[in-house]
Amino acid sequence: MKQYPLTRRQMLKASSVTALSAFIPSFSIGKSPVERNAPNVPNNPSDLCFTTAIDLVKLMRAKKVSARDVMQAHLKQIARVNPKVNAIVTLVPEDQLMKEALDADEAIAKGK
């Protein structure tokens, strides 16, 4: 087996360049840190129901989806599934839920 003499400094430099080149394509110039860290919006709105809470918050902070979008997706999922499983005992009225989602969107718009 042929050995290639590399100094420790050369090896560190090579590994740093490799790590940096892997990072650069995902770095988006001109986007805020919130936008860069936000996941992609699901293609199907009902997929929002299966998105983690952390990812939903990132999407809302990046203004890729609104709280109203998320609420509407969940209400549609409840309407579709609950008659079969009867998991929801008491559901808050839809107009009240949508009002709360609107309030959340307004709070996000104000930076809260």
Side-chain angles (χ1 to χ4, degrees):
M1 181 186 304
K2 188 172 183 179
Q3 292 184 348
Y4 298 95
L6 283 177
T7 65
R8 182 172 187 269
R9 182 179 303 271
Q10 290 169 323
M11 185 56 128
L12 287 172
K13 184 177 180 182
S15 63
S16 297
V17 168
T18 303
L20 186 58
S21 66
F23 173 73
I24 287 175
S26 66
F27 184 74
S28 303
I29 297 174
K31 291 186 175 181
S32 73
V34 170
E35 291 172 317
R36 281 195 301 267
N37 293 327
N40 291 327
V41 178
N43 293 331
N44 187 345
S46 68
D47 289 344
L48 285 173
C49 298
F50 304 102
T51 303
T52 66
I54 291 171
D55 285 346
L56 286 174
V57 169
K58 288 178 182 178
L59 287 167
M60 286 188 280
R61 285 185 177 159
K63 296 181 176 65
K64 291 186 174 184
V65 297
S66 68
R68 289 170 291 178
D69 295 334
V70 173
M71 181 63 71
Q72 195 63 46
H74 281 85
L75 289 171
K76 285 180 182 178
Q77 181 72 3
I78 290 168
R80 186 173 34 255
V81 175
N82 198 53
K84 298 172 190 164
V85 297
N86 198 26
I88 306 290
V89 178
T90 304
L91 184 61
V92 176
E94 185 174 339
D95 57 335
Q96 181 181 341
L97 293 172
M98 293 306 292
K99 168 71 170 94
E100 290 175 12
L102 176 63
D103 293 345
D105 286 337
E106 289 171 353
I108 290 171
K110 292 177 184 175
K112 295 183 182 177

